[in-house]
Amino acid sequence: MEAYEVFKDLAIILVAAKLFGLIARKFKTPQVVGEIIAGLIIGPSLLGWVETTDFLSEMAAIGVVLLMFTAGLETDLKDLKETGVTAFFVALMGVLTPLVFGTVMYLCFYGFDGFGTEKFLEALFIGTIMTATSVSITVQALRELGYLKGKLGTTIVSAAIIDDVMGIIVLTIVLGMKNGGSSILETLIKTLLFFVLAVGAGVIVYRLFKAYDKKYPHTRRIPIMGLAFCLVLSYVAEKYFGIADITGAYVAGVILCNMRDSEYIAEKMDINSYMLFGPVFFASIGIKTNIREFTLDILLFSVVFVIVALLSKIIGCSLVGKIAGFNWPDSLKMGVGMMTRGEVALIVSQKGLAAGMIEPVYFMAVIMLIIVSSIATPMILKSLFTKYPSPKA
Amino acid sequence: MEAYEVFKDLAIILVAAKLFGLIARKFKTPQVVGEIIAGLIIGPSLLGWVETTDFLSEMAAIGVVLLMFTAGLETDLKDLKETGVTAFFVALMGVLTPLVFGTVMYLCFYGFDGFGTEKFLEALFIGTIMTATSVSITVQALRELGYLKGKLGTTIVSAAIIDDVMGIIVLTIVLGMKNGGSSILETLIKTLLFFVLAVGAGVIVYRLFKAYDKKYPHTRRIPIMGLAFCLVLSYVAEKYFGIADITGAYVAGVILCNMRDSEYIAEKMDINSYMLFGPVFFASIGIKTNIREFTLDILLFSVVFVIVALLSKIIGCSLVGKIAGFNWPDSLKMGVGMMTRGEVALIVSQKGLAAGMIEPVYFMAVIMLIIVSSIATPMILKSLFTKYPSPKA
């Protein structure tokens, strides 16, 4: 293929993704939803203008790694310390409840034939997709309502961050069980080993970066070396530990998140993301999904998937809130605040697709979940806060 | 190839390119020289850690397009109008003299066997590589000496811009003669047609962008749509006119250069360039160049190439300066100011390599030219201005 053929694909993706991203925003849904729909339209499902190529897949792979690295970089470790225990348990239950409910739901649909079987792993993966909270819409809603900085707001935000870490651990373990075909024990050991090594190397790398950053703050070399570190950790994770590259990228971000210039790095990554790699990643999800395979059965599955995903988060998180001493309305707000899903759910699904654990057609369920949760959350939160005001910060 | 294998290549390129880029800067040479040397070291010439892959070639192709688009965006049409006629003829002679001298020099080395032959085209291409002035180092030197804003300074800068446009026209014609195997007339018509259509479409696109920019200034959609436009024009140029994609990218930049947000677009492109695509492009030049093929003959050729390239620019531009009424010292300063070469010479060489018009080993001559000219220009300019001060602005 001539190099310039790539330009055509990229131009179509950029224009379509931006166009539908803006339309999505008009409908108060996240732009990524529009970008995926753009992919559905320009892809084989409808117009057939762009097909999946090796080049696009590799660009998309870089796109995900950039997204996860940025997510890691934006982690605020201080917030975590402050709300500590409560947030930890909110996150824990916010991960475990959907994981269990999602798995059971899949098995109800397609039958149970024993632990550790192919089908069980698929079910487990559907549960895994349900685990990751995307807090950005909740943050936006809380900010508008004036409750972002209170105890409730901080707990939700911290829980969502811890939720990400836990979600990635679950993903790592579940993928490991499939990939290596190895035992759960082996996967656990590899995962543990990776995190231990990453933390060990992380301490050294963090110090190097901190010293370097002090000497040359706000220079190009800082984000470039940061990106290189992220790529190295992604590579090492996949190559030597059989762990998802996005885990490596996320951990690289968390390692560097306390640097003075972490925001500066995140900003540069963000520009690279939204200019090219991000649209390519999200649109390529749409391009890979063939809408013609969408059946009534799958529609039914998707509806139940959305309901289970939302309710399980609300139940899990609200219960912990109540036990931690919040009143019922505040506990409920916590549950609703944690129920939004976003990019990470897609990224996880993408990994599952690559590992052969789910079919592309299930992306539709995930897309529906993102749309519904991101429209419903701000509305429900607003009415809850209006009916039952919380003490302000 | 697994997607994560790409991460390793990219990480190695980023670290090596940045490292040697910084070393190059210590030695007062442009960073791109360091990035190419990094490619030589990590490539098959030495360590063999990274090899040319389809993915890297495509990334590099995007990198060049970004560079040329940014160059176009940074064009200042106002400056051009002010110095007008003189700058035009300085540029014209600054393009024609090296083109002729370079062609003749190649023929002296390898023999002449008629116009229009394969060898004649190769010779013409060596001349073409010599045409493009890179004014950034001269601008830097003039700024430090305090002569950037005077009549002399403005003329040099304007001439360098016009020089770029002419250089790209020459490149387009020479490549067209090779690519289509078509007649010079056909190539000229195609080139003319492209420029006419580009200007026509450009007027419309420019108005659309201007209106859009007024409505949504400094939003992400502006640079994204700009990039899409650049990719479309690059694609159309290659696909339908047989014209180099970089010509399309450059023209796209010039079309948008008068927009209020052109700097904003250029800034975003620049970040995308220096974070990933730029280092990949320059390093991949080094990776493609096999230093083991470097012989004494080629060394001799390179030395003569550098001398001819520098002298021809000085002679051509100084003469026009004198005719336009500058005194001899000022005319000489003009010639020296115009003799620096940079990225564009590499980009042109790269195109010639892709079209099979030069061997990778001749990159060494181009790299030497960049190194020598960028070290010599500021030194010579400084001593000329010290001995023969010009009137200040």
Side-chain angles (χ1 to χ4, degrees):
Chain A
M1 190 172 66
E2 293 282 343
Y4 62 83
E5 294 289 342
V6 165
F7 301 156
K8 189 185 68 173
D9 288 354
L10 292 180
I12 294 174
I13 289 175
L14 283 181
V15 173
K18 195 67 221 170
L19 193 69
F20 285 90
L22 290 173
I23 293 173
R25 215 169 57 173
K26 289 243 178 215
F27 286 97
K28 308 254 175 210
T29 15
Q31 291 211 36
V32 292
V33 171
E35 297 184 357
I36 299 164
I37 292 173
L40 283 173
I41 291 173
I42 60 176
S45 292
L46 266 163
L47 298 173
W49 289 351
V50 180
E51 279 179 24
T52 315
T53 62
D54 282 353
F55 179 74
L56 287 181
S57 302
E58 279 153 2
M59 288 284 283
I62 297 175
V64 193
V65 161
L66 284 181
L67 286 170
M68 293 304 287
F69 181 46
T70 314
L73 277 171
E74 285 169 348
T75 311
D76 189 338
L77 295 179
K78 259 181 249 150
D79 260 7
L80 290 191
K81 276 183 205 150
E82 276 170 26
T83 42
V85 187
T86 312
F88 178 84
F89 282 102
V90 172
L92 186 63
M93 283 302 284
V95 165
L96 290 185
T97 326
L99 181 65
V100 173
F101 278 40
T103 309
V104 171
M105 177 210 123
Y106 188 91
L107 297 175
C108 289
F109 261 83
Y110 299 107
F112 176 68
D113 52 8
F115 293 102
T117 59
E118 191 98 336
K119 193 180 281 174
F120 182 75
L121 279 181
E122 282 170 29
L124 207 56
F125 199 81
I126 291 291
T128 308
I129 295 175
M130 288 188 186
T131 60
T133 287
S134 162
V135 86
S136 58
I137 285 171
T138 302
V139 165
Q140 190 54 33
L142 288 174
R143 189 179 285 133
E144 282 170 20
L145 295 163
Y147 287 105
L148 185 59
K149 289 288 158 192
K151 192 183 166 200
L152 183 64
T154 326
T155 309
I156 294 179
V157 175
S158 306
I161 296 167
I162 303 172
D163 177 291
D164 271 356
V165 180
M166 288 176 178
I168 218 138
I169 294 174
V170 171
L171 172 70
T172 306
I173 295 171
V174 174
L175 276 182
M177 283 161 72
K178 166 83 185 185
N179 275 347
S182 49
S183 68
I184 299 187
L185 186 70
E186 203 183 317
T187 307
L188 278 174
I189 292 174
K190 269 189 177 173
T191 309
L192 195 69
L193 210 63
F194 173 74
F195 278 95
V196 168
L197 278 180
V199 169
V203 171
I204 300 168
V205 169
Y206 174 66
R207 292 209 178 150
L208 284 176
F209 263 87
K210 214 175 150 185
Y212 203 55
D213 189 24
K214 205 172 172 184
K215 210 166 167 193
Y216 308 102
H218 275 51
T219 50
R220 292 177 176 191
R221 64 194 81 175
I222 302 292
I224 292 174
M225 290 301 172
L227 175 57
F229 175 57
C230 153
L231 290 170
V232 167
L233 218 55
S234 307
Y235 175 74
V236 168
E238 280 256 10
K239 177 90 178 180
Y240 301 106
F241 293 88
I243 285 177
D245 47 10
I246 52 172
T247 306
Y250 184 76
V251 170
V254 174
I255 288 172
L256 299 181
C257 78
N258 254 4
M259 253 174 78
R260 213 170 36 173
D261 259 348
S262 68
E263 243 176 79
Y264 182 73
I265 304 180
E267 185 204 318
K268 302 300 170 207
M269 294 305 142
D270 192 39
I271 292 172
N272 274 276
S273 273
Y274 77 69
M275 284 300 299
L276 201 56
F277 293 101
V280 169
F281 170 64
F282 291 112
S284 72
I285 288 178
I287 294 170
K288 267 183 216 154
T289 313
N290 196 338
I291 216 169
R292 294 176 197 192
E293 290 165 10
F294 206 64
T295 59
L296 251 180
D297 279 2
I298 290 168
L299 181 67
L300 178 66
F301 178 89
S302 301
V303 172
V304 179
F305 174 88
V306 172
I307 295 171
V308 171
L310 297 182
L311 284 184
S312 59
K313 272 275 178 191
I314 297 179
I315 294 170
C317 299
S318 300
L319 273 180
V320 178
K322 187 73 187 81
I323 294 169
F326 288 92
N327 61 24
W328 272 118
D330 277 8
S331 305
L332 198 58
K333 288 172 204 162
M334 200 174 281
V336 174
M338 292 287 289
M339 83 180 185
T340 19
R341 311 301 210 287
E343 287 95 309
V344 180
L346 286 168
I347 294 172
V348 170
S349 316
Q350 176 59 34
K351 276 283 140 197
L353 178 67
M357 295 177 93
I358 60 162
E359 298 292 317
V361 77
Y362 290 109
F363 274 134
M364 294 304 290
V366 182
I367 297 168
M368 274 175 61
L369 173 58
I370 296 173
I371 297 177
V372 173
S373 69
S374 52
I375 295 176
T377 306
M379 285 165 50
I380 302 179
L381 276 183
K382 198 175 172 184
S383 75
L384 277 174
F385 273 103
T386 317
K387 263 195 194 156
Y388 314 98
S390 308
K392 290 229 176 187
Chain B
M1 189 171 69
E2 293 282 346
Y4 61 83
E5 294 290 343
V6 165
F7 301 156
K8 188 185 69 175
D9 288 354
L10 290 180
I12 294 173
I13 288 175
L14 283 181
V15 173
K18 196 67 221 169
L19 193 68
F20 284 90
L22 291 172
I23 293 173
R25 212 167 61 172
K26 289 243 176 216
F27 285 97
K28 308 253 175 212
T29 16
Q31 291 210 37
V32 293
V33 170
E35 296 184 357
I36 298 164
I37 294 174
L40 283 173
I41 292 172
I42 59 177
S45 291
L46 266 163
L47 298 174
W49 288 352
V50 180
E51 279 179 25
T52 315
T53 62
D54 282 352
F55 179 73
L56 288 182
S57 302
E58 280 153 1
M59 289 284 284
I62 297 175
V64 194
V65 161
L66 285 181
L67 287 171
M68 293 303 289
F69 181 48
T70 315
L73 277 172
E74 284 167 350
T75 310
D76 190 337
L77 295 180
K78 261 182 248 150
D79 260 7
L80 289 191
K81 279 185 204 152
E82 277 169 26
T83 42
V85 187
T86 312
F88 178 83
F89 283 102
V90 172
L92 185 65
M93 284 302 285
V95 165
L96 290 185
T97 324
L99 181 64
V100 173
F101 279 40
T103 308
V104 171
M105 177 209 124
Y106 188 91
L107 297 174
C108 289
F109 259 84
Y110 298 108
F112 176 66
D113 52 10
F115 293 102
T117 59
E118 189 98 335
K119 195 180 279 173
F120 182 74
L121 279 181
E122 282 169 29
L124 207 55
F125 200 81
I126 291 291
T128 308
I129 295 175
M130 288 188 185
T131 60
T133 288
S134 161
V135 83
S136 58
I137 285 170
T138 302
V139 166
Q140 190 55 33
L142 288 174
R143 188 178 284 133
E144 281 170 21
L145 294 163
Y147 286 104
L148 184 58
K149 289 287 156 192
K151 192 181 165 201
L152 183 65
T154 327
T155 310
I156 295 179
V157 175
S158 305
I161 295 168
I162 303 173
D163 177 291
D164 271 357
V165 180
M166 289 176 178
I168 218 137
I169 293 174
V170 171
L171 172 71
T172 306
I173 295 171
V174 174
L175 276 183
M177 284 160 72
K178 165 83 186 182
N179 275 349
S182 49
S183 69
I184 299 187
L185 186 71
E186 201 183 320
T187 307
L188 278 174
I189 292 173
K190 269 189 178 174
T191 308
L192 196 69
L193 211 63
F194 174 74
F195 278 97
V196 168
L197 278 181
V199 169
V203 171
I204 301 168
V205 169
Y206 174 67
R207 291 208 178 150
L208 283 176
F209 264 88
K210 214 175 151 184
Y212 203 55
D213 190 24
K214 204 172 171 185
K215 209 165 166 192
Y216 307 102
H218 274 53
T219 49
R220 293 178 176 188
R221 63 193 82 175
I222 302 293
I224 292 176
M225 289 302 171
L227 176 58
F229 175 57
C230 152
L231 292 170
V232 167
L233 219 53
S234 309
Y235 174 74
V236 169
E238 281 256 9
K239 177 89 177 178
Y240 301 106
F241 294 87
I243 284 177
D245 47 8
I246 53 172
T247 306
Y250 183 76
V251 171
V254 174
I255 289 173
L256 299 182
C257 79
N258 253 5
M259 253 175 78
R260 212 170 39 175
D261 259 349
S262 68
E263 243 177 79
Y264 182 73
I265 304 180
E267 184 204 318
K268 303 298 170 208
M269 293 305 142
D270 191 41
I271 292 171
N272 274 275
S273 273
Y274 77 68
M275 284 301 301
L276 201 54
F277 293 102
V280 169
F281 170 64
F282 291 112
S284 71
I285 288 177
I287 293 170
K288 268 183 216 154
T289 314
N290 196 341
I291 217 170
R292 294 177 196 188
E293 289 164 7
F294 206 64
T295 60
L296 251 180
D297 280 1
I298 289 167
L299 181 67
L300 179 64
F301 178 90
S302 302
V303 171
V304 179
F305 175 88
V306 171
I307 295 169
V308 171
L310 297 183
L311 285 184
S312 58
K313 273 275 178 192
I314 296 179
I315 294 169
C317 298
S318 300
L319 273 180
V320 179
K322 187 72 187 81
I323 294 168
F326 287 93
N327 61 23
W328 271 118
D330 277 8
S331 304
L332 198 58
K333 287 170 204 163
M334 201 175 282
V336 174
M338 292 288 289
M339 82 180 187
T340 18
R341 309 302 208 287
E343 285 95 311
V344 180
L346 285 168
I347 294 172
V348 171
S349 318
Q350 174 60 36
K351 276 286 140 193
L353 178 67
M357 296 178 92
I358 59 161
E359 297 291 316
V361 78
Y362 290 109
F363 275 134
M364 294 304 291
V366 183
I367 297 168
M368 273 174 61
L369 173 58
I370 296 172
I371 297 177
V372 173
S373 70
S374 52
I375 294 175
T377 305
M379 284 166 49
I380 302 178
L381 276 183
K382 197 175 174 183
S383 76
L384 276 174
F385 273 103
T386 317
K387 263 196 195 158
Y388 314 98
S390 308
K392 291 229 177 190

